[in-house]
Amino acid sequence: MTVLEGIGSLRSVRKFKPDPVAEDKIRVILESASKAASGSNTQPWEFVVVRDAKVKARLKEPMLRTWLERLAGSSGMSPRMRDVYDEATEMLRNTETIPVIVYCCVDLNRVGKSEEVRYASIYPAVQNLMLAAHALSLATCLTVHGSTATRGEPEVKKILGIPDHVKVACLVYLGFPAVKLGRPKRKPIEKFVHYDRW
């Protein structure tokens, strides 16, 4: 798979086989993440790789609880969005069966103070991680569960022993896909690209 093929075919998958992911594949994926660009080359990323089912079960509780609270407050959702949210809920309910969860974090002591630089310094690494997994026939789903106070971050950090100066940016569910999906549907670039001015 070339880089362009990987970019063109990467999909979010929410249903995974229970098969374990080999240690050498996880290492390749994390090495690929570490090659990303970051503000002033600070490389502020920290990754917590969770494979223990008991730990995943503990992590599920705050993430699922806060997610269901958010859903309870939402109304007027389109049928399509309801389907997406239902799939997300099901994935969360099955957290302990997902082979690998990678919490992607930013060490705030090693990055600029502005929020935009913090996230610009972690998300390229996350994209590398997902593309590398895809190249190894693995599937991923990036979510923000456990990444803010209203999404269970304080409890997640406590369970994982993440220090105060480290921020959870997102997490990536990782494993072999249980479903086969086609290429992602995207708008043609003419719909959103502007040259020289809007």
Side-chain angles (χ1 to χ4, degrees):
M1 179 186 297
T2 67
V3 172
L4 293 178
E5 287 168 347
I7 291 169
S9 58
L10 179 65
R11 291 286 303 266
S12 287
V13 173
R14 293 183 181 86
K15 293 182 179 170
F16 299 87
K17 294 178 182 176
D19 309 17
V21 178
E23 184 68 40
D24 61 330
K25 287 192 176 194
I26 294 172
R27 184 168 182 86
V28 168
I29 290 164
L30 295 171
E31 288 274 0
S32 298
S34 77
K35 305 303 183 211
S38 59
S40 303
N41 196 30
T42 51
Q43 304 171 55
W45 41 73
E46 297 284 343
F47 299 101
V48 182
V49 180
V50 182
R51 292 175 289 189
D52 186 300
K54 290 178 184 171
V55 176
K56 288 183 277 189
R58 289 179 62 207
L59 291 163
K60 174 176 75 173
E61 194 285 318
M63 295 192 305
L64 181 60
R65 177 177 33 80
T66 53
W67 171 248
L68 293 175
E69 286 168 3
R70 291 176 81 84
L71 286 184
S74 61
S75 60
M77 205 178 293
S78 71
R80 183 187 167 279
M81 281 311 296
R82 175 55 63 191
D83 288 345
V84 170
Y85 277 37
D86 286 349
E87 280 187 17
T89 302
E90 188 64 20
M91 183 178 70
L92 258 177
R93 286 190 199 283
N94 293 308
T95 292
E96 64 267 35
T97 69
I98 310 289
V100 181
I101 302 174
V102 181
Y103 284 82
C104 307
C105 307
V106 183
D107 183 332
L108 302 180
N109 291 339
R110 297 194 336 250
V111 72
K113 299 296 180 203
S114 67
E115 192 172 49
E116 60 271 22
V117 172
R118 291 174 183 176
Y119 290 106
S121 296
I122 183 64
Y123 281 122
V126 176
Q127 182 74 1
N128 276 12
L129 184 154
M130 294 168 64
L131 284 167
H134 182 44
L136 296 173
S137 301
L138 292 159
T140 56
C141 184
L142 183 154
T143 83
V144 290
H145 299 300
S147 67
T148 65
T150 59
R151 292 179 183 271
E153 183 185 25
E155 292 155 283
V156 164
K157 287 178 68 170
K158 187 174 181 182
I159 291 165
L160 296 176
I162 296 172
D164 290 343
H165 66 278
V166 174
K167 171 85 183 88
V168 178
C170 64
L171 64 89
V172 176
Y173 285 85
L174 172 68
F176 291 97
V179 292
K180 184 145 178 74
L181 300 173
R183 294 175 77 80
K185 294 176 184 171
R186 297 291 185 264
K187 298 174 187 175
I189 65 169
E190 290 76 17
K191 298 274 187 188
F192 53 81
V193 174
H194 312 275
Y195 293 98
D196 298 321
R197 65 187 303 273
W198 190 274

